[in-house]
Amino acid sequence: LAKTTQPISMDSYEGQEVNITCSHNNIATNDYITWYQQFPSQGPRFIIQGYKTKVTNEVASLFIPADRKSSTLSLPRVSLSDTAVYYCLVEGRALTFGSGTRLQVQP
Amino acid sequence: DAGITQSPRYKITETGRQVTLMCHQTWSHSYMFWYRQDLGHGLRLIYYSAAADITDKGEVPDGYVVSRSKTENFPLTLESATRSQTSVYFCASSEEGRGGNTIYFGEGSWLTVV
């Protein structure tokens, strides 16, 4: 199973760009990289997904280097409402989540 | 579009009792999952199912039983609840188990075992 490692927590201020990096050294050829966001008392929800290089949507960007052993979620100009836990998921036979990164955005 | 629904949303039960958490999805997704999330911690996979009548263990299956007689339902049973099973339980579904598919989560079931 591909195991992921993320920072436990990060702090930022409103308007700043936040980059959260996830390490997944044992990623398999067929695995995609997906990021989820979880607010308190809610289930996680999909943010972005990629296989290689760069993916961008209306919420975030995902950067994946050529060796695919890590990925970086980039949140542009964060706001207070981006305070949440962010999970990096590398799909395997059993879809296991890591502990996530707790992002705290300050005014 | 109802999506994925869990019931009950909140449950208090006593040690040793059997408890069943229900999960229903309206998308006809092949895969369904049960996760538990202890306060302040990440998600841990309990069981998952690739299709009706096919289930498999996740990271923390002990003390839990699942069944999947119909594609849309995936109940989770705690045969004899223990205090260590106090947690938030999330049901989820996806079209496939891998390969670029998104997992959709329910709102969670808060279970307290006293």
Side-chain angles (χ1 to χ4, degrees):
Chain A
L1 298 176
K3 182 176 174 62
T4 60
T5 304
Q6 305 174 229
I8 294 175
S9 64
M10 296 182 69
D11 293 311
S12 184
Y13 293 94
E14 282 192 294
Q16 290 189 333
E17 178 184 74
V18 172
N19 296 309
I20 306 173
T21 297
C22 178
S23 297
H24 28 80
N25 292 321
N26 297 322
I27 189 169
T29 304
N30 295 337
D31 287 340
Y32 280 70
I33 301 156
T34 312
W35 285 80
Y36 290 82
Q37 176 190 56
Q38 185 180 27
F39 297 114
S41 302
Q42 295 184 24
R45 66 174 189 174
F46 172 91
I47 301 177
I48 196 167
Q49 184 177 77
Y51 183 80
K52 61 180 179 180
T53 62
K54 177 184 175 182
V55 178
T56 298
N57 62 20
E58 65 278 5
V59 176
S61 294
L62 178 59
F63 298 91
I64 305 169
D67 65 7
R68 302 198 332 119
K69 293 186 176 182
S70 66
S71 58
T72 299
L73 173 72
S74 181
L75 303 172
R77 298 179 298 281
V78 294
S79 65
L80 296 176
S81 63
D82 292 316
T83 293
V85 178
Y86 293 83
Y87 294 95
C88 163
L89 177 64
V90 174
E91 297 181 22
R93 179 174 171 270
L95 294 169
T96 56
F97 285 73
S99 297
T101 298
R102 190 172 301 274
L103 173 65
Q104 181 70 47
V105 180
Q106 307 280 3
Chain B
D1 185 353
I4 185 164
T5 55
Q6 296 182 227
S7 63
R9 293 292 315 281
Y10 304 93
K11 175 76 175 180
I12 299 174
T13 191
E14 295 178 340
T15 300
R17 289 192 179 268
Q18 183 180 80
V19 176
T20 296
L21 306 180
M22 304 300 293
C23 180
H24 175 80
Q25 53 109 351
T26 61
W27 295 306
S28 298
H29 284 168
S30 295
Y31 278 75
M32 295 189 75
F33 312 86
W34 275 106
Y35 293 89
R36 63 175 287 177
Q37 185 171 39
D38 300 330
L39 187 64
H41 289 81
L43 296 152
R44 291 186 292 171
L45 182 66
I46 305 171
Y47 269 97
Y48 67 102
S49 169
D53 298 322
I54 300 174
T55 62
D56 208 347
K57 297 178 180 179
E59 302 171 84
V60 289
D62 294 343
Y64 302 95
V65 174
V66 294
S67 62
R68 193 154 177 221
S69 57
K70 293 183 179 181
T71 300
E72 62 267 30
N73 297 323
F74 191 39
L76 175 73
T77 298
L78 287 67
E79 294 186 297
S80 179
T82 65
R83 290 183 179 177
S84 65
Q85 292 177 309
T86 292
S87 189
V88 182
Y89 291 85
F90 288 102
C91 180
S93 72
S94 71
E95 287 188 21
E96 296 180 24
R98 61 183 300 145
N101 286 274
T102 301
I103 306 171
Y104 297 90
F105 284 82
E107 291 300 307
S109 293
W110 271 251
L111 177 67
T112 300
V113 183
V114 298

